[in-house]
Amino acid sequence: MIALLHRDLLLATRAGGGFGLGLVFFLIVVVLVPFGVGPETAILSRIAPGILWVAALLAALLSLDRIFALDHEDGSLSLLATAPIPLEAVAVIKAAAHWLTTGVPLAIAAPVLGVLLHLDPSAFGFVVVTLLLGTPALSVIGTFGAALTVGIRRGGLLLSLIVLPLYVPTLIFGAEAVRRGVDGQDTATPLLMLGGITAGAVALLPFATAAVLRMNLR
Amino acid sequence: MTIMSMWEYANPKRFMGWTGHVLPWAFGGAAVCLTVGLIWGFFFTPDEMRQGSTVKIIYLHVPAALMAINAWIMMLVASLIWLVRRHHVSALAAKAAAPVGVTMTLIALATGAIWGQPMWGTYWAWDPRLTSFMILFLFYLGYMALWAAIDDPDMAADLTSVLCMVGSVFALMSRYAVNFWNQGLHQGASLSLDKEKNVADVFYQPLLFAIAGFVLLFFALVLLRTRTEIRTRRLRALIRREGQ
Amino acid sequence: MPDLGKYVTEVLLAYGVSIAILATLVAMSWRQSRRVRRDLEAAEARKNG
C-alpha cells in the first residue's frame, strides 16, 4: 500500500505528471480575477477568500482525470483490482496521492496568492486551515468522479460536470468559515461542518469509488 | 393459482402490456386535471391582497417544484431497485424520468424568476430555495450526461445508479449548506398537509387539481419514455443480430 | 379574460413559458416514441420475413 502511494506520488511529480500544473493554474486564475473585476483594493479584498476557494477547487478539478485514466489505459488498474489489497484501499490511496500533490500545495500557496488579492491579514490563517480541512473532501469526491468516468474516452468535461455540483457543500462551508473569520464572527459551526463533510466523505465515498471501479472493470 | 408477485409487472414484456392500457388514461387524466386546475386557477380565482394577480403563478410554480424533487426521489428508488434486484425496466425508468425531472426544475426556476421580479424586485436572488433548485438542475444535467456518455446499457445503468445515490446525499447536504449560507426570501412551508391554512382555500382547491395534473403528466411521460427505452433496447439487440 | 391588473406580463409570461416547455417535452417524447416504434416494427419484420 505504501508502495502504491509512493508510486503515485512519484508519477505525479515526474515531468509531465501534472504536479505543478495545478499550482500554475491556481496562480493564473488569481491573476485573471483583477482584470475581470477591476483593481480596486476594497473589492478585491472583500472577494479574495471566495476567489481563492473557487480557484483552488478548479485547480483540484484539473488533475482529477489523471487519477485512474493512465492506470486504466496501461492495464495496471486491472492488476490493482486483483492485487491482495482491497479496491477500497486503492481508492483511498489514490485520493491521498491526489491530495498530497494538489490539495496541500494549494493550501500552502493560497496565502501567497492572497497577497495579490489584498486578502485581509486576519484571513490568512483561516484560508490555510479551511483549505487543509476541505481539500481532502475535494480529492475523495474527485476520485469518485474519476472512477465513474474512467471508461469514457474524453471524459474530462463530463467529469467536471459531475464533480462540480458535488463540491457545493464543501465550498459553501469552506468559504463561509473564512468570511466569518474575517468579520470576527463565530467560525466553529462552518469549520465543524467542513470537517464533518471531509470525515464523512473520506469514510464512506471510497466504498462507492471501489464499487464503481468494479463495475467499470467487469 | 399462484399469487403474482409485484415484480411481475416489471418484466419488460408484461410492462409493455399493462402500460399500453394505462398510458392513454394517464395522459387523459393529466390533461383533464391540468385543464381544470389551470383554467380554474387562471380565470376563476380572486387576486391575493398583497401579491395581486401574480398569485396565479402558484398553479405552475408549486406543482413543478414538487415534481422536480419527486422525480429525483423516484430516480433514486428506481436506481436502488436496479442495483438490488437488477430489473432492467427499473433502470430504464430512472433514465426516462431524468429529462422529465429536469424540465420540471426548469419550469420551477423560470416561473420563480418571473414571479420574483414583481414580488422581490429581482428575477434572481441567491435565496436558499432558488439556489437549491439551481443545484438540483446541475445534478440532473450531470446524471443525464453520464447516461449519454456510456454505450454499454447495463454499465450505464450501474454507474448512473451509484451517481444518483451519491448525488442524493450531496444534494441534501447542499440544501442544508445553502440554508446556512443565506437566509431566504421565501415564505415558510406553503403547502404541507397539516398546514393547509397557509394557503387560503380559494387558491388551495385549484392548486390540488394542478398538482394532480402534474403528477399524472409525470407518470404518463415516464411510462411513455420507459416504453421507448425498452423498444430502443430491443431494437439495438435486433440490429446487432442482423450485423452478425 | 380575467383582469390581471398591473402584472399582466408576468402572469401571461409564466403561463406561456411553462406551457411551451411542457408541450415541447410531450411532443419530443411522443415523436421519439413513434420513431422507435416504427424502427422496431421494421426490424421485427426483417427478422421474421
Side-chain angles (χ1 to χ4, degrees), chain B residues 234-244, chain C residues 43 46-47:
Chain B
R234 170 105 181 113
L235 181 63
R236 274 199 187 184
L238 284 179
I239 289 175
R240 211 178 306 129
R241 216 177 298 159
E242 279 173 12
Q244 278 167 1
Chain C
R46 275 200 305 277
K47 191 188 79 172

Side-chain angles (χ1 to χ4, degrees), chain A residues 17-167:
Chain A
F19 180 74
L21 277 182
L23 274 179
V24 177
F25 180 82
F26 192 30
L27 171 70
I28 291 175
V29 172
V30 167
V31 169
L32 286 181
V33 166
F35 298 144
V37 299
E40 285 111 297
T41 308
I43 294 177
L44 285 178
S45 158
R46 176 145 177 73
I47 61 172
I51 298 297
L52 287 174
W53 251 94
V54 172
L57 192 143
L58 293 176
L61 190 72
L62 207 60
S63 45
L64 285 181
D65 58 343
R66 293 170 169 276
I67 296 181
F68 291 117
L70 298 175
D71 285 352
H72 188 60
E73 273 165 27
D74 66 11
S76 47
L77 196 58
S78 312
L79 282 181
L80 283 175
T82 52
I85 57 171
L87 213 48
E88 284 80 3
V90 173
V92 173
I93 290 166
K94 289 283 181 181
H98 180 263
W99 182 63
L100 287 173
T101 51
T102 54
V104 173
L106 287 175
I108 294 170
V112 183
L113 300 183
V115 174
L116 293 175
L117 294 174
H118 305 287
L119 184 67
D120 192 279
S122 64
F124 281 80
F126 284 110
V127 168
V128 177
V129 169
T130 55
L131 278 177
L132 280 178
L133 206 56
T135 42
L138 299 186
S139 291
V140 176
I141 297 167
T143 309
F144 169 69
L148 263 184
T149 55
V150 67
I152 301 165
R153 253 168 291 129
R154 288 188 290 279
L157 201 58
L158 179 66
L159 175 62
S160 331
L161 185 59
I162 288 172
V163 165
L164 281 176
L166 299 175
Y167 277 173

Side-chain angles (χ1 to χ4, degrees), chain A residues 161-179:
Chain A
L161 185 59
I162 288 172
V163 165
L164 281 176
L166 299 175
Y167 277 173
V168 169
T170 318
L171 172 64
I172 287 179
F173 287 118
E176 183 71 18
V178 182
R179 215 173 311 135

Side-chain angles (χ1 to χ4, degrees), chain A residues 141 144 147-149 152-153 158 161-162 165-170 172-173 176 179-180 189-190 193 197 201 205 208 211-213 215-218, chain B residues 83 86 131 135 138-139 141-146 149-151 154-155 158-160 162-163 166-167 170-171 173-174 176-178 180-183:
Chain A
I141 297 167
F144 169 69
L148 263 184
T149 55
I152 301 165
R153 253 168 291 129
L158 179 66
L161 185 59
I162 288 172
L166 299 175
Y167 277 173
V168 169
T170 318
I172 287 179
F173 287 118
E176 183 71 18
R179 215 173 311 135
R180 292 195 173 196
T189 319
M193 294 304 286
I197 289 174
L205 262 184
V212 162
L213 281 178
M215 291 168 179
N216 263 311
L217 291 170
R218 197 171 45 216
Chain B
L83 285 180
R86 305 205 76 79
T131 315
I135 297 170
L138 298 177
F139 273 103
L141 294 182
Y143 176 85
M144 283 160 59
L146 188 61
I150 305 169
D151 289 330
D154 276 9
M155 189 191 281
D158 278 340
L159 295 180
T160 51
V162 178
L163 176 63
V166 172
F170 277 87
M173 282 205 300
S174 306
Y176 286 103
V178 164
F180 173 81
W181 166 76
N182 192 359
Q183 276 33 322

